[in-house]
Amino acid sequence: MPRPMHELTPREIVEQLDRHIIGQHAAKRAVAVAVRNRWRRQQLKGDLSREVMPRNIIMIGPTGVGKTEIARRLAKLVQAPFLKVEASKFTEVGYHGRDVESMIRDLLELGITMVRREQAEQVQEEALKRAEERLVSLLLGEENTTETTPTNANASAADGLTDSGAMPTAEDLHKKQKEEAAQHERVRQRLLKKLQDGFFDEREIEITVREKQTIPVMGMMGPDQMDPGMTNMLEGLMPDRSRQRRVTVQRAKTILTEQETEKLIDHEKAIEQAIERTEQTGMIFLDEIDKIAGSSDGRGSNADVSRQGVQRDLLPIVEGSSVVTRQGVVHTDQILFIAAGAFHSASVSDLMPELQGRFPIRVELDALTRDDFARILTEPDASLTNQQEALLKTEGLTITFTPGSIAAMAEMAAEANASMENIGARRLMTVIEQVFSEISFDAPDLAKKGTKRIEITDEFVRERLSEIMDDEDLGKFVL
């Protein structure tokens, strides 16, 4: 369960990360301190608070060792807007492609989604109540009439004479209106009870659905690449489209609840809160930052020029600037940037000195060993073995692993990484899939034949993987 940032100490953050990520204690400690420093800065008053800059981090290590997972789990832990981007996909301003400011716009959209989801949870009960009232009106054929329809109808009927032939008095009219209104309300309540009990779930009704029209791509340029003012203008020219849909009552309840939720949410307040949250707690994970570093051999090239341009564009974003978005201006001064790269053919020193200076904390992540693989297979809350057990349990099969089978899979993964491309913990996924390929295919048939339990042993793992490991060409293709 996510907790507010001020409740998490660095030690608790590391303990939470340990539940999902094996090893890499230096990196965990670094990000834990960086997050805690953000809360510490918020406790400062006056000018000093504005002077404290976030301690951006560069993680250095091979692929598959947990760089992305650490940042992703951290953001989820502290309920912060989090965006992962590939540094290599950006191009210098003036060239075709995405400019670096687009990641701030994307981060804000994630923040808005997060805040709206929280507000939606707060109004969920009221929205459902309103949706059910609308459904009752639809079932009674009153959706497009006013709430005073019964009263108006009664008033019209009461224009005539009473049973005795005398003109009705105002008191008589009022009494009759109250009786019919009460009767109508009793009918609505009985219908509402049946609706809540699911009596009408499969009945089809017709509802009005409003849909936002998408902005078309203009000149190979999507909405995210347009000027914010132009995007807003085009949205204003393209009003919502209404159309009739025939759906089941169960589906209509979901659609109408969403519509009522949208009405109850304070959208302006949501945008204000999202901008503040993005500025104060937002995180951007810049993956493959080594791909935009210059060549370490000292020889320049056209590619190096392009990389330098991306670095120059990144620099003001990382050090603090104002980015104009459709919803407002976002200041990037306090956004935490976590960069990562393998740095095989380049080093951190190949980045621009100014950009290097904006990432004061550098952490080197360790390559994973056979023992690490064995722990990854069993210790995390959602380990690969736990996932496989849960998946096959849905077929009625109970899967158990012997200690030898875990050790064999870890050993095979380590050997494959040593003899082929080192892809870190991702190799375990291919190993697991290869071990379970036949069991997963035959699981329904095995359950029908009465098989209840399958034990994965050391011999079974080696039998499934030995042929692939012995054939180097086949191993490169399969593993």
Side-chain angles (χ1 to χ4, degrees):
M1 182 72 179
R3 292 164 57 190
M5 188 167 57
H6 69 273
E7 293 184 5
L8 289 165
T9 66
R11 190 177 304 280
E12 289 174 331
I13 291 173
V14 171
E15 288 173 356
Q16 290 293 323
L17 293 176
D18 283 339
R19 294 175 54 195
H20 307 283
I21 303 153
I22 299 301
Q24 315 303 359
H25 294 294
K28 292 174 183 174
R29 289 172 65 95
V31 297
V33 171
V35 167
R36 187 64 176 182
N37 277 340
R38 306 182 91 179
W39 173 80
R40 291 165 179 161
R41 183 193 66 81
Q42 292 171 11
Q43 310 313 303
L44 302 177
K45 306 297 181 183
D47 294 338
L48 183 59
S49 173
R50 290 186 287 273
E51 292 297 327
V52 178
M53 293 291 106
R55 306 300 194 260
N56 297 324
I57 303 167
I58 285 187
M59 295 184 184
I60 305 164
T63 184
V65 296
K67 300 187 295 293
T68 305
E69 191 67 6
I70 287 174
R72 187 176 70 85
R73 292 285 180 182
L74 180 71
K76 188 175 181 180
L77 188 62
V78 298
Q79 297 176 298
F82 172 76
L83 178 70
K84 176 184 180 291
V85 294
E86 310 292 332
S88 54
K89 79 176 182 180
F90 294 114
T91 59
E92 189 177 356
V93 171
Y95 290 83
H96 177 73
R98 301 198 73 189
D99 65 281
V100 295
E101 288 188 354
S102 64
M103 64 184 174
I104 304 299
R105 294 192 285 269
D106 292 343
L107 184 67
L108 177 59
E109 289 298 327
L110 291 171
I112 292 172
T113 301
M114 183 180 291
V115 172
R116 282 181 176 168
R117 189 185 302 121
E118 292 171 1
Q119 289 193 0
E121 289 175 359
Q122 294 172 2
V123 301
Q124 182 69 24
E125 189 175 338
E126 177 64 22
L128 179 59
K129 182 179 177 182
R130 292 189 181 189
E132 288 176 342
E133 290 293 336
R134 285 182 62 184
L135 275 172
V136 169
S137 297
L138 280 167
L139 291 168
L140 289 173
E142 303 172 346
E143 172 68 5
N144 296 321
T145 62
T146 64
E147 294 181 0
T148 57
T149 300
T151 304
N152 293 338
N154 296 338
S156 177
D159 285 340
L161 301 176
T162 64
D163 293 339
S164 61
M167 290 294 295
T169 64
E171 184 178 348
D172 292 334
L173 285 174
H174 180 67
K175 183 178 179 181
K176 188 171 184 178
Q177 289 171 2
K178 281 186 66 176
E179 288 174 354
E180 295 203 4
Q183 182 181 0
H184 181 75
E185 183 60 28
R186 286 195 295 272
V187 171
R188 288 185 63 89
Q189 290 302 316
R190 286 199 297 269
L191 208 59
L192 178 61
K193 181 66 169 60
K194 287 188 174 183
L195 176 67
Q196 292 171 339
D197 291 341
F199 186 79
F200 303 110
D201 280 357
E202 300 306 317
R203 179 181 294 188
E204 288 193 347
I205 58 173
E206 198 170 75
I207 62 172
T208 303
V209 179
R210 287 184 173 274
E211 297 176 341
K212 284 188 175 293
Q213 299 189 63
T214 56
I215 300 176
V217 176
M218 303 176 63
M220 300 300 290
M221 183 169 60
D224 61 329
Q225 294 172 286
M226 293 182 187
D227 180 84
M230 175 67 73
T231 306
N232 288 335
M233 185 188 74
L234 289 174
E235 284 185 343
L237 293 174
M238 302 177 68
D240 293 349
R241 181 176 58 188
S242 298
R243 66 185 181 93
Q244 296 294 115
R245 278 186 62 186
R246 191 162 188 82
V247 295
T248 63
V249 169
Q250 188 175 23
R251 177 60 182 154
K253 183 188 287 190
T254 302
I255 295 172
L256 295 179
T257 301
E258 291 173 355
Q259 291 180 0
E260 293 302 322
T261 299
E262 282 294 305
K263 294 176 185 177
L264 291 168
I265 288 176
D266 187 339
H267 294 282
E268 290 187 3
K269 184 179 178 181
I271 290 173
E272 290 175 3
Q273 290 180 352
I275 290 176
E276 182 181 1
R277 185 177 296 190
T278 300
E279 291 178 341
Q280 300 301 320
T281 67
M283 298 183 195
I284 292 180
F285 184 77
L286 276 170
D287 202 7
E288 295 187 350
I289 197 169
D290 54 319
K291 301 295 192 300
I292 62 169
S295 302
S296 56
D297 56 12
R299 292 180 297 178
S301 66
N302 290 335
D304 285 344
V305 173
S306 177
R307 294 180 188 127
Q308 289 284 335
V310 175
Q311 290 185 58
R312 282 195 299 270
D313 293 342
L314 268 176
L315 182 59
I317 302 292
V318 176
E319 67 183 0
S321 62
S322 300
V323 177
V324 179
T325 70
R326 287 188 301 160
Q327 289 77 19
V329 178
V330 177
H331 302 285
T332 66
D333 309 65
Q334 296 301 328
I335 293 176
L336 179 65
F337 290 86
I338 302 176
F343 289 97
H344 290 312
S345 57
S347 64
V348 177
S349 60
D350 293 322
L351 294 170
M352 289 174 54
E354 297 88 346
L355 192 59
Q356 291 180 48
R358 293 299 172 182
F359 290 88
I361 301 176
R362 299 177 190 177
V363 183
E364 189 163 349
L365 282 79
D366 304 318
L368 298 174
T369 65
R370 182 176 59 184
D371 292 340
D372 292 329
F373 287 148
R375 294 179 62 198
I376 290 169
L377 282 170
T378 57
E379 291 186 16
D381 288 354
S383 65
L384 292 175
T385 52
N386 288 341
Q387 292 176 31
Q388 205 65 43
E389 289 172 6
L391 287 172
L392 290 174
K393 195 173 184 63
T394 62
E395 300 280 3
L397 296 178
T398 300
I399 304 296
T400 59
F401 295 86
T402 66
S405 67
I406 299 295
M409 287 188 286
E411 182 183 337
M412 295 289 189
E415 286 180 13
N417 276 345
S419 60
M420 293 176 267
E421 186 74 20
N422 185 356
I423 60 173
R426 294 185 179 94
R427 184 74 66 186
L428 288 172
M429 181 69 78
T430 60
V431 169
I432 283 278
E433 288 302 312
Q434 190 61 32
V435 169
F436 279 90
S437 59
E438 288 189 6
I439 296 176
S440 296
F441 185 84
D442 296 330
D445 300 323
L446 291 171
K448 287 178 182 178
K449 292 177 181 177
T451 303
K452 298 294 184 183
R453 181 180 298 273
I454 298 176
E455 185 179 60
I456 307 300
T457 63
D458 179 4
E459 294 76 14
F460 181 82
V461 170
R462 295 186 185 280
E463 179 186 342
R464 296 290 303 139
L465 296 176
S466 59
E467 182 181 350
I468 299 171
M469 294 296 294
D470 291 340
D471 189 331
E472 186 175 342
D473 292 334
L474 182 60
K476 287 180 179 179
F477 176 74
V478 176
L479 295 179

